[in-house]
Amino acid sequence: MRLFVYGTLLPEFETHRYISPYIVGTAFPGRVRGRLVDVGAYPALIPAKGSEPPSSPSHAPFSFVRGMWFEITREGLARADEYEEFYGIEESNDYERIRMTDADRPDVSGWVYVWTDDRGFPPAGVDWWPDKTKD
Protein backbone atom coordinates (compact mmCIF):
# COMPACT_ATOMS: atom_id res chain seq x y z
CA MET A 1 0.00 0.00 0.00
CA ARG A 2 1.08 3.58 -0.56
CA LEU A 3 1.64 6.29 2.07
CA PHE A 4 2.24 10.00 1.41
CA VAL A 5 4.64 11.50 3.97
CA TYR A 6 5.07 15.27 4.26
CA GLY A 7 6.40 15.93 7.77
CA THR A 8 8.51 14.33 10.45
CA LEU A 9 8.26 10.85 8.90
CA LEU A 10 10.37 12.06 5.94
CA PRO A 11 13.89 10.59 5.69
CA GLU A 12 15.38 13.93 6.83
CA PHE A 13 14.03 13.37 10.35
CA GLU A 14 14.92 10.91 13.10
CA THR A 15 11.31 9.74 13.37
CA HIS A 16 11.55 8.25 9.86
CA ARG A 17 12.76 5.18 11.76
CA TYR A 18 9.13 4.39 12.61
CA ILE A 19 8.40 3.46 9.00
CA SER A 20 11.80 2.81 7.40
CA PRO A 21 11.92 -0.95 8.22
CA TYR A 22 8.55 -1.39 6.48
CA ILE A 23 9.26 0.43 3.21
CA VAL A 24 9.23 -1.81 0.16
CA GLY A 25 10.13 -0.59 -3.30
CA THR A 26 11.30 2.82 -4.36
CA ALA A 27 10.07 6.08 -2.82
CA PHE A 28 9.34 9.02 -5.09
CA PRO A 29 8.39 12.68 -4.67
CA GLY A 30 4.85 13.92 -5.05
CA ARG A 31 2.37 16.68 -4.25
CA VAL A 32 -1.14 16.74 -2.87
CA ARG A 33 -3.66 19.60 -2.80
CA GLY A 34 -3.78 21.29 0.58
CA ARG A 35 -1.72 23.41 2.93
CA LEU A 36 0.46 22.91 5.98
CA VAL A 37 -0.16 24.40 9.39
CA ASP A 38 2.66 24.84 11.89
CA VAL A 39 1.94 22.86 15.03
CA GLY A 40 5.39 23.60 16.45
CA ALA A 41 7.61 20.54 16.20
CA TYR A 42 5.59 19.09 13.35
CA PRO A 43 3.16 20.07 10.60
CA ALA A 44 -0.41 19.08 9.87
CA LEU A 45 -1.85 18.92 6.37
CA ILE A 46 -5.27 20.44 5.76
CA PRO A 47 -6.52 18.92 2.50
CA ALA A 48 -8.22 21.11 -0.07
CA LYS A 49 -11.66 19.91 -1.00
CA GLY A 50 -12.65 19.71 -4.66
CA SER A 51 -15.05 22.64 -4.68
CA GLU A 52 -13.33 24.73 -2.04
CA PRO A 53 -12.51 28.37 -2.77
CA PRO A 54 -8.83 29.25 -3.14
CA SER A 55 -8.49 30.33 0.47
CA SER A 56 -9.82 29.05 3.75
CA PRO A 57 -11.72 31.01 6.39
CA SER A 58 -8.39 31.65 8.12
CA HIS A 59 -7.18 33.36 4.91
CA ALA A 60 -4.42 30.84 4.29
CA PRO A 61 -4.48 29.79 0.66
CA PHE A 62 -4.73 26.19 -0.38
CA SER A 63 -2.21 25.11 -2.93
CA PHE A 64 0.05 22.08 -2.79
CA VAL A 65 2.11 20.23 -0.22
CA ARG A 66 5.23 18.42 -1.33
CA GLY A 67 6.21 15.10 0.16
CA MET A 68 7.24 11.54 -0.64
CA TRP A 69 5.20 8.51 -1.64
CA PHE A 70 6.32 5.27 -0.01
CA GLU A 71 5.22 1.71 -0.65
CA ILE A 72 4.76 0.35 2.84
CA THR A 73 3.66 -2.94 4.38
CA ARG A 74 0.50 -3.33 6.49
CA GLU A 75 2.75 -3.54 9.55
CA GLY A 76 4.35 -0.26 8.51
CA LEU A 77 0.96 1.41 8.15
CA ALA A 78 0.03 0.16 11.64
CA ARG A 79 3.29 1.64 12.98
CA ALA A 80 2.56 4.97 11.22
CA ASP A 81 -0.99 4.90 12.66
CA GLU A 82 0.50 4.53 16.12
CA TYR A 83 2.94 7.41 15.57
CA GLU A 84 0.23 9.69 14.12
CA GLU A 85 -2.26 8.74 16.86
CA PHE A 86 -4.81 7.33 14.41
CA TYR A 87 -6.91 4.74 16.24
CA GLY A 88 -9.55 4.10 13.61
CA ILE A 89 -12.59 5.55 11.90
CA GLU A 90 -14.92 7.39 14.28
CA GLU A 91 -12.34 7.22 17.08
CA SER A 92 -10.76 10.14 18.89
CA ASN A 93 -7.69 10.61 16.67
CA ASP A 94 -5.07 13.30 16.43
CA TYR A 95 -4.84 12.81 12.66
CA GLU A 96 -7.38 11.27 10.33
CA ARG A 97 -6.09 8.90 7.65
CA ILE A 98 -7.67 9.49 4.25
CA ARG A 99 -6.96 8.52 0.67
CA MET A 100 -5.62 11.23 -1.61
CA THR A 101 -4.39 11.37 -5.18
CA ASP A 102 -1.15 12.97 -6.27
CA ALA A 103 -1.76 16.40 -7.81
CA ASP A 104 0.47 15.71 -10.81
CA ARG A 105 -0.02 11.98 -11.29
CA PRO A 106 -3.66 10.90 -11.14
CA ASP A 107 -2.56 7.25 -11.28
CA VAL A 108 -0.84 7.62 -7.88
CA SER A 109 -2.90 7.62 -4.70
CA GLY A 110 -2.62 6.36 -1.17
CA TRP A 111 -3.05 7.09 2.51
CA VAL A 112 -2.31 10.52 3.99
CA TYR A 113 -2.60 11.73 7.60
CA VAL A 114 -4.56 14.99 7.77
CA TRP A 115 -6.43 17.36 10.03
CA THR A 116 -9.89 18.43 8.94
CA ASP A 117 -9.23 22.05 10.01
CA ASP A 118 -6.34 24.14 11.30
CA ARG A 119 -7.42 23.98 15.01
CA GLY A 120 -6.24 27.58 15.35
CA PHE A 121 -2.64 26.89 14.33
CA PRO A 122 -0.96 29.30 11.89
CA PRO A 123 -0.11 28.50 8.29
CA ALA A 124 3.37 26.99 7.98
CA GLY A 125 4.25 29.31 5.09
CA VAL A 126 6.05 26.48 3.24
CA ASP A 127 5.02 23.59 1.01
CA TRP A 128 7.91 21.35 2.17
CA TRP A 129 8.35 20.83 5.93
CA PRO A 130 12.17 20.42 5.85
CA ASP A 131 12.32 24.03 4.58
CA LYS A 132 10.47 25.17 7.73
CA THR A 133 12.92 23.42 10.03
CA LYS A 134 15.81 25.44 8.54
CA ASP A 135 14.48 28.62 10.20
Side-chain angles (χ1 to χ4, degrees):
M1 65 192 60
R2 205 170 272 142
L3 176 66
F4 183 77
V5 173
Y6 58 86
T8 58
L9 287 176
L10 287 166
E12 290 88 338
F13 300 96
E14 178 188 338
T15 48
H16 181 69
R17 74 182 189 284
Y18 285 95
I19 63 167
S20 61
Y22 308 101
I23 295 171
V24 293
T26 304
F28 56 92
R31 297 186 317 155
V32 296
R33 284 197 62 229
R35 64 181 165 85
L36 294 177
V37 293
D38 187 343
V39 184
Y42 59 93
L45 188 152
I46 313 303
K49 298 183 181 46
S51 61
E52 198 157 52
S55 59
S56 72
S58 65
H59 308 291
F62 283 94
S63 59
F64 300 97
V65 172
R66 292 187 295 144
M68 296 290 297
W69 289 103
F70 293 97
E71 283 292 327
I72 193 166
T73 64
R74 287 196 182 283
E75 294 82 8
L77 187 63
R79 189 75 165 118
D81 283 349
E82 180 182 309
Y83 176 75
E84 300 290 4
E85 297 179 28
F86 174 77
Y87 304 111
I89 296 170
E90 296 185 10
E91 297 295 332
S92 180
N93 301 309
D94 184 17
Y95 285 86
E96 297 304 320
R97 179 166 41 92
I98 66 169
R99 293 197 58 84
M100 291 183 76
T101 300
D102 189 89
D104 302 310
R105 295 179 57 186
D107 61 316
V108 173
S109 64
W111 295 113
V112 184
Y113 294 99
V114 302
W115 282 4
T116 56
D117 63 63
D118 63 22
R119 301 182 191 176
F121 286 93
V126 296
D127 69 346
W128 175 244
W129 188 249
D131 287 347
K132 181 71 176 176
T133 62
K134 293 176 187 172
D135 290 351

